[in-house]
Amino acid sequence: MSSTDTRWCVDDIADAIAAGLQDRVDADRAAQAVSGIDALDEVSLHPELASALGHAGYGVHREERYIGARSKRSRSEGRRCDLVLTPDNRPLQDLQAVATLFDDPNAVPLEEAFWLEVKTVAQHTPEGPNVAWTNELLGTVRADVAKLANDPDIFHAALLIVLWVESIEVAEHDLCVWQDRCLGKGLPIAAPSQRVISIQDRLGNAHCVLRVYPVRHL
C-alpha cells in the first residue's frame, strides 16, 4: 500500500479526543475534584489524549522521532512528534527491524501513520491569569506546523490546539488571528475540525476549545 492509499479522517480524530476529554471532565465533576483537567500542563495532558485516542481504537505512539531524523542511528537523537497514530491499534514500523527477524508484518509504515503535534494554552492557570497567553498562542504554536510541513516523508499530519478559555468567543477570535498569520506566512494549514467542551470553572476557564488543523507539505 502506498502512502496515498491510507485514509485518515480528521473529524474522527477530533471526535475521539473530545469524547475522551469529556469523560475526564465528567469524572472530575462527579468526584468533586479540587482541580480540573485545565490545571494540567501540556506534557501532563498527553496521557489523557493518548488514552482518548486509544479508547477509540487507534494505536498511539508517543514521542516518536520524525521520519527525517531517523537517519541518525542513535534513538535519542532528532526531533520528536508528540503523538503518532496507527489504525486498528497496530504497531508502528521500526526501521531498524526491517528485513530482520524482529520485523513485524502488521506494523504500519511511518509514512502511512498520522503525525499529531499538540499545543495547549490556558487563559487562566493555577498561578492566575496567563500573561503569556498571546505569545504562547501566536508565537510558539506556528513552529509545530513548520516541523510537520518540512518533513518530506510525512503525508498525514495535523496540529491539535487545546485552549482553556473564559469564553468560546475569545478562543475563536484569537484562533482566527493565529490562522491568518499562519496563512500569511505561507504555512500549509487546512480547514480545522473544532470541538467545544464545557468545563467546571475552577481557575477562570469555562470551556475547552479543540481545533485539529491538517498540515500539508511546504
Side-chain angles (χ1 to χ4, degrees), residues 4 7 10 27 38 78 95 100 104 110 155 164 202 214:
T4 55
R7 295 290 180 264
V10 172
D38 58 325
L95 291 180
T100 72
D104 189 336
L110 299 174
F155 297 94
W164 309 102
R202 296 178 176 90

Side-chain angles (χ1 to χ4, degrees), residues 2 17 21 25 30 49 55 67 71 79 92 108 121 147 153 162 180 192 198-199 205 217:
S2 70
I17 293 169
L21 294 188
V25 168
L49 300 174
H55 185 73
I67 301 176
S71 58
R79 293 184 301 185
L92 186 66
V108 175
V121 186
K147 285 192 297 184
D153 295 313
V162 182
D180 287 346
S198 295
I199 65 173
N205 306 309
H217 285 308

Side-chain angles (χ1 to χ4, degrees), residues 90-128:
R90 291 166 60 191
L92 186 66
Q93 182 184 60
D94 181 354
L95 291 180
Q96 294 186 15
V98 172
T100 72
L101 293 175
F102 301 101
D103 192 4
D104 189 336
N106 195 42
V108 175
L110 299 174
E111 66 273 12
E112 293 180 15
F114 193 93
W115 298 71
L116 185 66
E117 288 285 8
V118 178
K119 189 65 182 179
T120 177
V121 186
Q123 192 175 0
H124 297 273
T125 73
E127 290 72 40

Side-chain angles (χ1 to χ4, degrees), residues 40-178:
L40 298 178
D41 61 24
E42 185 171 300
V43 174
S44 299
L45 186 65
H46 287 182
E48 298 287 340
L49 300 174
S51 176
L53 290 161
H55 185 73
Y58 296 101
V60 185
H61 313 273
R62 297 176 58 190
E63 295 297 323
E64 287 288 339
R65 284 192 297 165
Y66 274 75
I67 301 176
R70 305 237 170 181
S71 58
K72 302 178 187 294
R73 187 160 184 81
S74 172
R75 293 178 183 268
S76 63
E77 294 184 81
R79 293 184 301 185
R80 295 177 179 275
C81 185
D82 293 325
L83 302 172
V84 180
L85 310 182
T86 52
D88 304 320
N89 199 28
R90 291 166 60 191
L92 186 66
Q93 182 184 60
D94 181 354
L95 291 180
Q96 294 186 15
V98 172
T100 72
L101 293 175
F102 301 101
D103 192 4
D104 189 336
N106 195 42
V108 175
L110 299 174
E111 66 273 12
E112 293 180 15
F114 193 93
W115 298 71
L116 185 66
E117 288 285 8
V118 178
K119 189 65 182 179
T120 177
V121 186
Q123 192 175 0
H124 297 273
T125 73
E127 290 72 40
N130 183 3
V131 296
W133 162 270
T134 300
N135 181 61
E136 289 181 16
L137 178 59
L138 301 184
T140 58
V141 179
R142 291 199 299 267
D144 288 327
V145 175
K147 285 192 297 184
L148 291 166
N150 279 312
D151 193 311
D153 295 313
I154 290 179
F155 297 94
H156 315 284
L159 172 66
L160 165 64
I161 301 179
V162 182
L163 298 186
W164 309 102
V165 290
E166 292 178 8
S167 69
I168 300 170
E169 291 75 18
V170 167
E172 292 186 339
H173 174 271
D174 289 0
L175 284 169
C176 183
V177 173
W178 176 86

Side-chain angles (χ1 to χ4, degrees), residues 21-40 122-126 163-167 196-209:
L21 294 188
Q22 183 69 65
D23 286 345
R24 167 63 192 267
V25 168
D26 292 344
D28 285 346
R29 184 178 289 113
Q32 298 183 333
V34 174
S35 61
I37 192 173
D38 58 325
L40 298 178
Q123 192 175 0
H124 297 273
T125 73
L163 298 186
W164 309 102
V165 290
E166 292 178 8
S167 69
V196 177
I197 301 169
S198 295
I199 65 173
Q200 185 174 347
D201 184 348
R202 296 178 176 90
L203 301 175
N205 306 309
H207 303 279
C208 172
V209 176

